Amino acid sequence: MIQIKTLPNGARIVHEYMAQVRSAAVVFWVGHGSRHEPAEMGGASHAIEHMLFKGTQTRTAAELAAVMDAIGGQVNAYTTKESTCYYARALDSHLPAAIDLLGDMFFNARFDKDAWDTERGVIIEEIAMCEDQPDDLVYQNLYASIYKDLPLGAPVIGTAETLGGMTAEDLLEYKTRNYRPCDIIVSLAGRFAPSDLEKIEELLSSLPPAECPPMVPCAYTPAFHLREKDIEQNHLLLAFPGLPVNRNYAYGVMSAILGSGMSSRLFQKIREEHGLCYSVYSSQAPHRDTGAAVIYTALGPETERKALELIREVVEQYAREGPSEQELTRAREQCKANNIMSEESTVNRSISIGHSTLFFGGAHETDEIIARINAVTREAVTELAARIFDFSQVSLSVVGKPEDEAVYRDLLCR
């Protein structure tokens, strides 16, 4: 059973005991990501994530790594547009050491000047790596266009210019100011003892209460972004205004029918029937107050016109007619399997219940998730598809050797 405790300072602990396992995962969540950053601090949240691994007041970076390796555990982190997540997984017998290590990093990171000078170079190389990966770049360019001049449009990783203007002291001050208990959740899933929860509560209770300021609102605006790059394929990303972060399970079922798996409509039409691409799929990119429903593919410039015509044909038919009962049954089973199999991992389950608590104030039990997916109707999926897949609101990002924008607008907006 999932349980949540809110401390007097506003920090929360959410936990789920899993008696069938012999490990546990602990996750420190911060509801603060790149969309909360002022322009001059672009990339600060991601940089702070890196710096937490570079030493604390009592441990060097090498000692942090050695402690986790010594107990056979794993520790990692990631930053998104709206949150930062630090997590550790260990055997239940070593969980106290994992909590101690993650707590030391989270509360006592040193932010050494020399370490930041080195790590800045690592992140700048990470930026260059993204530039060399067109499947990442096409997403970044889409966000920069549909959320132009808005915080959601900025890259999570920042830029060489913004990073170059930050000092280690700037990052530490930024962390101190923005890692507020009202935005902090620690989630724990697996086999653990009451003493583990007590230790987490002790750590979080050291934070003084503080108010969380409102974020800058963002909204989807249709846009086309074409980027020349000397690569063999064109990487294409279509987008439509989607739902914000939600618990509408019809949304996932709708996306699965359209473009998730080998039986999906897009895969069957674009790849299997016409052989135009290797990969084509649909997915969701939700945020607190906005979102996008996206379709991705990569193919040769000589076949993209045909592919876009077929994608439009598939999507319009889907929005007009909705799914068959057979498709609905198959997609529901697919969504249930993805949820259940993923959450049998303590890391995934801890991340899931923490994420849900951060965005919704609570998490669904697995049985409730299954019941809600089973309750998705053909009418609900049809209504959603008709509402979302409106080609008067379509956006497009292309990386490769694109045609003129007028060609794409003629294909998609006519």
Side-chain angles (χ1 to χ4, degrees):
M1 185 174 69
I2 300 168
Q3 297 185 56
I4 301 175
K5 181 174 184 177
T6 301
L7 304 184
N9 62 4
R12 287 167 286 174
I13 303 169
V14 55
H15 54 90
E16 183 176 34
Y17 190 78
M18 301 167 68
Q20 72 276 19
V21 301
R22 291 302 306 270
S23 66
V26 58
V27 182
F28 281 66
W29 283 92
V30 184
H32 192 95
S34 60
R35 78 168 293 178
H36 303 93
E37 299 163 352
E40 69 275 9
M41 292 296 290
S45 300
H46 176 258
I48 289 167
E49 174 218 312
H50 275 239
M51 290 303 293
L52 261 62
F53 289 81
K54 298 304 163 187
T56 69
Q57 300 302 322
T58 58
R59 294 180 172 112
T60 65
E63 288 169 342
L64 290 173
V67 169
M68 190 54 70
D69 286 348
I71 63 175
Q74 303 164 354
V75 61
N76 213 331
Y78 61 86
T79 306
T80 72
K81 301 277 186 181
E82 297 181 312
S83 63
T84 309
C85 175
Y86 305 89
Y87 61 93
R89 183 187 182 195
L91 298 179
D92 56 345
S93 57
H94 293 311
L95 182 60
I99 293 172
D100 177 72
L101 180 75
L102 207 54
D104 192 23
M105 293 166 56
F106 194 83
F107 291 97
N108 303 313
R110 191 164 60 240
F111 286 84
D112 177 75
K113 177 185 180 301
D114 291 340
W116 168 236
D117 289 342
T118 300
E119 200 62 24
R120 181 193 290 114
V122 172
I123 299 174
I124 289 172
E125 287 302 314
E126 194 176 349
I127 293 171
M129 182 174 68
C130 178
E131 183 71 23
D132 288 340
Q133 295 176 326
D135 51 339
D136 286 341
L137 192 57
V138 73
Y139 272 90
Q140 184 171 297
N141 291 344
L142 175 75
Y143 264 82
S145 300
I146 64 175
Y147 301 118
K148 186 178 180 181
D149 299 326
L150 293 170
L152 274 177
V156 171
I157 202 169
T159 67
E161 291 73 26
T162 57
L163 294 169
M166 296 180 206
T167 66
E169 291 79 8
D170 292 334
L171 292 174
L172 178 56
E173 191 276 332
Y174 189 87
K175 173 183 178 291
T176 302
R177 181 159 39 90
N178 291 291
Y179 277 38
R180 309 175 185 90
C182 54
D183 260 346
I184 292 175
I185 291 169
V186 174
S187 54
L188 180 61
R191 186 185 286 252
F192 51 85
S195 57
D196 297 319
L197 293 173
E198 291 168 5
K199 177 61 177 177
I200 292 169
E201 183 171 343
E202 178 187 338
L203 288 168
L204 293 179
S205 296
S206 66
L207 291 167
E211 290 188 8
C212 291
M215 62 186 180
V216 177
C218 294
Y220 171 104
T221 301
F224 279 51
H225 190 291
L226 312 178
R227 169 73 184 274
E228 291 277 353
K229 196 167 184 64
D230 188 18
I231 51 179
E232 292 299 316
Q233 289 187 309
N234 279 2
H235 292 252
L236 288 81
L237 191 63
L238 284 79
F240 301 85
L243 300 182
V245 175
N246 64 87
R247 284 171 158 172
N248 186 337
Y249 290 93
Y251 195 32
V253 171
M254 180 201 73
S255 184
I257 292 168
L258 179 63
S260 177
M262 293 188 294
S263 67
S264 69
R265 291 192 177 195
L266 287 172
F267 191 92
Q268 284 295 310
K269 176 66 72 172
I270 311 303
R271 172 172 163 157
E272 296 298 281
E273 290 185 28
H274 292 272
L276 298 178
C277 66
Y278 179 80
S279 177
V280 58
Y281 63 83
S282 63
S283 61
Q284 306 142 39
H287 301 285
R288 285 190 182 271
D289 54 351
T290 185
V294 301
I295 297 170
Y296 167 86
T297 191
L299 33 67
E302 67 281 356
T303 59
E304 71 172 9
R305 289 196 189 195
K306 180 64 174 176
L308 286 172
E309 288 172 351
L310 289 170
I311 289 171
R312 174 160 185 158
E313 176 186 310
V314 168
V315 172
E316 286 186 325
Q317 182 183 17
Y318 187 39
R320 185 173 60 250
E321 301 173 2
S324 68
E325 286 296 337
Q326 184 181 34
E327 286 177 316
L328 183 65
T329 299
R330 188 166 59 235
R332 283 192 300 232
E333 293 304 311
Q334 184 181 356
C335 289
K336 286 189 292 185
N338 288 344
N339 273 276
I340 294 169
M341 290 190 290
S342 171
E343 296 196 355
E344 287 182 349
S345 155
T346 56
V347 171
N348 289 344
R349 187 58 180 161
S350 189
I351 287 175
S352 176
I353 64 175
H355 181 272
S356 292
T357 303
L358 181 65
F359 285 91
F360 305 116
H364 286 158
E365 303 283 354
T366 300
D367 287 346
E368 185 177 3
I369 293 172
I370 294 171
R372 286 173 178 255
I373 294 172
N374 281 334
V376 172
T377 64
R378 180 178 181 274
E379 291 72 23
V381 173
T382 303
E383 186 277 329
L384 259 182
R387 175 154 56 101
I388 287 172
F389 296 119
D390 177 0
F391 277 88
S392 71
Q393 297 295 304
V394 72
S395 297
L396 178 69
S397 176
V398 182
V399 172
K401 300 179 178 68
E403 303 251 27
D404 290 337
E405 183 175 323
V407 173
Y408 295 110
R409 290 196 175 273
D410 183 59
L411 286 167
L412 298 172
C413 304
R414 66 180 189 279

